[in-house]
Amino acid sequence: KQEVTQIPAALSVPEGENLVLNCSFTDSAIYNLQWFRQDPGKGLTSLLLIQSSQREQTSGRLNASLDKSSGRSTLYIAASQPGDSATYLCAVTGANSKLTFGKGITLSVRP
Amino acid sequence: DTGVSQDPRHKITKRGQNVTFRCDPISEHNRLYWYRQTLGQGPEFLTYFQNEAQLEKSRLLSDRFSAERPKGSFSTLEIQRTEQGDSAMYLCASSPVNTGELFFGEGSRLTVL
């Protein structure tokens, strides 16, 4: 059974700091990995999708990497802003087309 | 708006009542997923459809839960005889087959009193 872990559960940083959010998964037989952002009481917004054959994806200040063999992904956020405050969730898609989520990391960026 | 839409956004009901949620996916997406999320947890898979075929159901879905996607477009999730433990956010997502990227709606929050 696939398990996705995100540690720590919460993170607080000052504005302008570069930061890395970590995600690990137990079964490396994945189809893709997605990072999502969730604001309180809202749905999930897709940030980046990395296919299993890819190593990284970039969008603006965000960069996500994937190391399938070690079961790890990182989301790098450059020059963090208070508007980046949210919960960031990592999810992997297995061969059964089902997405398995971590519990998320709640990020607070202090002005 | 061409995103995934869910209705209603909020539902408060008394224990024992039936509730139904609707999801309209992005029009060209043939896969549709239902997830449930409780406070402080990541979303948990409930079921998914490819076109009108329901391909997998989680064991989380007791016999009180049923989902349909009759014409391969919108989907409904019905919960019969609601219990307080059903209180959660019910999230719908759709994806195209080629990329597998999921796009979520804003969710339907259920509170069972």
Side-chain angles (χ1 to χ4, degrees):
Chain A
K1 178 188 170 187
Q2 177 74 269
E3 292 184 1
V4 179
T5 303
Q6 294 184 255
I7 296 173
L11 188 61
S12 179
V13 300
E15 182 176 4
E17 190 162 300
N18 300 326
L19 57 104
V20 174
L21 306 181
N22 294 306
C23 170
S24 61
F25 48 94
T26 54
D27 185 350
S28 62
I30 63 169
Y31 180 64
N32 62 40
L33 182 144
Q34 261 184 277
W35 281 94
F36 295 90
R37 169 185 171 137
Q38 187 172 34
D39 293 293
K42 301 289 188 180
L44 281 68
T45 300
S46 178
L47 296 175
L48 288 165
L49 170 73
I50 311 178
Q51 300 293 352
S52 62
S53 58
Q54 298 174 323
R55 294 297 297 252
E56 65 177 337
Q57 284 289 329
T58 297
S59 176
R61 295 183 293 109
L62 305 179
N63 175 277
S65 67
L66 173 64
D67 184 340
K68 211 172 69 160
S69 60
S70 67
R72 295 177 188 274
S73 175
T74 61
L75 178 66
Y76 175 82
I77 303 176
S80 58
Q81 303 170 357
D84 295 330
S85 298
T87 296
Y88 291 82
L89 294 127
C90 164
V92 295
T93 302
N96 58 5
S97 302
K98 200 169 64 177
L99 216 63
T100 302
F101 284 85
K103 291 185 178 182
I105 298 173
T106 299
L107 173 66
S108 173
V109 181
R110 308 186 301 270
Chain B
D1 182 52
T2 57
V4 178
S5 64
Q6 293 188 245
D7 182 71
R9 293 290 312 280
H10 304 276
K11 179 72 176 179
I12 300 174
T13 190
K14 292 182 179 178
R15 189 177 55 185
Q17 298 294 305
N18 300 342
V19 297
T20 300
F21 300 115
R22 176 181 168 125
C23 172
D24 287 271
I26 295 171
S27 59
E28 62 269 25
H29 288 181
N30 53 6
R31 283 189 177 161
L32 185 148
Y33 299 78
W34 286 99
Y35 281 80
R36 180 172 71 184
Q37 187 179 27
T38 54
L39 199 62
Q41 302 296 314
E44 296 174 294
F45 170 81
L46 293 178
T47 188
Y48 94 97
F49 294 83
Q50 181 154 318
N51 300 313
E52 66 275 10
Q54 188 172 17
L55 297 187
E56 188 169 343
K57 292 171 61 172
S58 164
R59 63 180 179 278
L60 293 174
L61 270 185
S62 73
D63 57 5
R64 297 184 297 105
F65 288 71
S66 62
E68 294 183 340
R69 195 182 182 196
K71 296 182 181 179
S73 55
F74 74 91
S75 175
T76 57
L77 176 69
E78 181 182 18
I79 309 173
Q80 295 182 326
R81 305 181 304 281
T82 52
E83 302 172 355
Q84 288 184 325
D86 297 331
S87 296
M89 176 79 90
Y90 289 85
L91 294 162
C92 177
S94 67
S95 77
V97 172
N98 58 345
T99 67
E101 183 174 6
L102 264 67
F103 295 86
F104 280 82
E106 289 291 332
S108 292
R109 180 168 295 284
L110 173 65
T111 300
V112 182
L113 301 175

